[in-house]
Amino acid sequence: MDQKITTLAALTQHYRPQIEAELTRILDHESTEQTLQQSLRYSLLAGGKRIRPLLTLATLLTCDETITEERLQASVAVEMIHTYSLIHDDLPAMDDSDYRRGKLASHKQFGEAQAILTGDGLLTDAFSVLATSGLPANQIIELVDRLALAAGSRGMVAGQVIDMEATGLQLSLVELQDLDRKKTGALFHYSVLAGAIMANVTENQRQHLADFAGKFGLAFQIYDDLMDEQAGTDEDEGKNSYAHLLGRNQAQQVLQETIAEGESALDAVPHADLLRSFLTYFKG
Amino acid sequence: MDQKITTLAALTQHYRPQIEAELTRILDHESTEQTLQQSLRYSLLAGGKRIRPLLTLATLLTCDETITEERLQASVAVEMIHTYSLIHDDLPAMDDSDYRRGKLASHKQFGEAQAILTGDGLLTDAFSVLATSGLPANQIIELVDRLALAAGSRGMVAGQVIDMEATGLQLSLVELQDLDRKKTGALFHYSVLAGAIMANVTENQRQHLADFAGKFGLAFQIYDDLMDEQAGTDEDEGKNSYAHLLGRNQAQQVLQETIAEGESALDAVPHADLLRSFLTYFKG
C-alpha cells in the first residue's frame, strides 16, 4: 500500500486521519486540568493541513521505510510546536490576530493568560512525545536536539524577533530570506530531517533532502506572502514580505524558480515522486 | 573536595560560580540575533539562587557521584525552564509584575512580544542543553521525558492554569497542595530526580529522594507564601496562599511539620547531610 503513494493528495488522504488520531491520543494523556485540556484540544485539533508531519512521513516513504507507530508518534511533535507558535503569534502583543483557521484565536476564546500557557504546554509536551516514542535512543536524542535547534532561539524564535524588529522597515532580499529561513524554514527543514534521521540515510542523501527542504520552505513563504497580499492582510502593518519587496510579478517568478530548484534537489534522490509532489502545493 | 561539602552554603559557594559559568557558556552558543541574545542574558544571568540545579548536584554528591562536565550541563536545563516561567508569569496578562529580582521584568525592559519570545526560546533551548550534554543516551531520554512532564501541561503549566482560575476563590488545603505540587513542586521534584537518574540509584533510593523532594517543594511554597504575606504582595490580588488560607501561625506550624517530614524522608538515605541542609533554607 505505502509503496503506491506518490502524491501529496494520496498521502494526505491516507495519513492525515492517522495524524489526527495520534494527536487525539496524545491529548487524551495530557492535562487532566479541564480548561487546559479544552484549550489544547481547541487549537491542536483545529483541522490544519498537517503539512509538517506529512513531510516527515513522505521522507520516510521516499526512503522505502514503513510508518510504524513509533515513527507516527514522533512525526506529530513538530505539529505541536507549529501549533504553539500560531497561538503565541496571534497574541495581542505579537500579531494581534483575532481569528485563526476560521475560528476565534486561542486568546479570544480562552483569554490571553490561558493562550500563553496553552502554547507553553504544547511546546513542552512536544519533547515528551519524542522522548516516549519508543524509537531507538540515538534517534530520539537527535530528534530532540534538532527540534529544539529549529524551534528555539537560534531558529524559529530568532526569526520571530527579527520579523518583529523589521516591521515597518524595508529588508533586503537577503535579509528577508534569512528571516524566513529561521521563522518558517527551520520547522520545514526539521520535518524532512526527522524522516531522514528515522530512515537512517547516508550523509549524502541527507544533504539532498535538506536542500529540498530549504527550497520547499522558501517556496512556502513566498506562496504564503502572495496569498496574504491577495487577501490584503499583511501589507497594512508594514510586515516584510516577498510580494511587498519584489512586487507580485517578480515574487511569482522567484517562486517558480524556487520550485524548480526544489525539484532539482530531488534529482539525486531515487523514487522522489512523492516529495516532488509537495511542490505542486504552490502551483494552484 | 566534593566529599567534604555537607551544607547548602558550602555547595553554593563552590558550585554556584560553576553554574553561572555554564549558563554563560550556553548563552554564548545561543541566538546570534542581538536583541534576543541581550534579553536571554538579562533574565538568565540575573543572579538567582540557582536552587534547582544545586538540588541536582547535591543529589549527585549525596550518591557519592562526581560532578562531571556532562552532568553540570544537564543540571542547568531546569534553571532555564524556571527562568522562562518567571518571564511568562510576570507578563501583564498573567501576574502583571513590573519587577523581578530587583530589576525591571523582561516585558518592561524589552517589551511584551520579546518577553514572550525570550521565554519561548529558553524553554525550547533547555531541551537542546539536555540532548547535547553527552550523558549516556538512556539518561538523556529519561531527563527529557521527566523535564517535559514536570514543566508541561500535566505539571507546571497545569498548576499555573489552576492558580489563575482559583484567583479570588477560596481553595481547600488539599486543592492548594495539588496546585502547588504542580506549579512549583514539579520542578523541585524533577531537580532531585535528575540527580537520581544520573547517579543511577535503586528504585527504592529514588523513592526516598522523591519523598524528600516533595516535602522540600511544599516547604518552599509555604515559606514563599509567608514571605510574600510579610511583604504584603500576593494578598490583594486574591491569590491563594498558605498564609492566607491557614493564617500566619498555623502556616508556620505546617511549615515546621513539613520540614520535619523532609528530614525523615532522608533517614533511609546514607550521607544525606547535604540534602538535609537544604531544609535549613526555611528556618531563617
Side-chain angles (χ1 to χ4, degrees), chain B residues 14-33:
Chain B
H14 189 76
Y15 283 106
R16 194 160 70 168
Q18 295 192 33
I19 291 168
E20 298 296 330
E22 186 61 26
L23 290 170
T24 306
R25 191 188 65 74
I26 289 165
L27 280 173
D28 287 342
H29 290 84
E30 295 302 294
S31 187
T32 51
E33 208 290 304

Side-chain angles (χ1 to χ4, degrees), chain B residues 80-93:
Chain B
M80 298 169 75
I81 298 279
H82 172 59
T83 304
Y84 118 73
S85 78
L86 297 180
I87 296 172
H88 281 192
D89 268 15
D90 288 342
L91 287 167

Side-chain angles (χ1 to χ4, degrees), chain A residues 23-73:
Chain A
L23 290 170
T24 305
R25 193 187 64 75
I26 288 166
L27 280 173
D28 287 343
H29 290 84
E30 295 301 293
S31 188
T32 51
E33 209 290 305
Q34 224 179 344
T35 60
L36 181 58
Q37 176 66 251
Q38 219 182 330
S39 61
L40 288 165
R41 195 171 284 273
Y42 181 85
S43 290
L44 197 57
L45 304 180
K49 291 179 293 290
R50 313 306 189 192
I51 198 86
R52 291 162 190 78
L54 286 172
L55 262 178
T56 303
L57 300 182
T59 305
L60 278 164
L61 293 176
T62 300
C63 300
D64 284 327
E65 298 285 326
T66 54
I67 309 300
T68 61
E69 274 182 46
E70 292 82 356
R71 289 164 169 178
L72 184 68
Q73 175 170 330

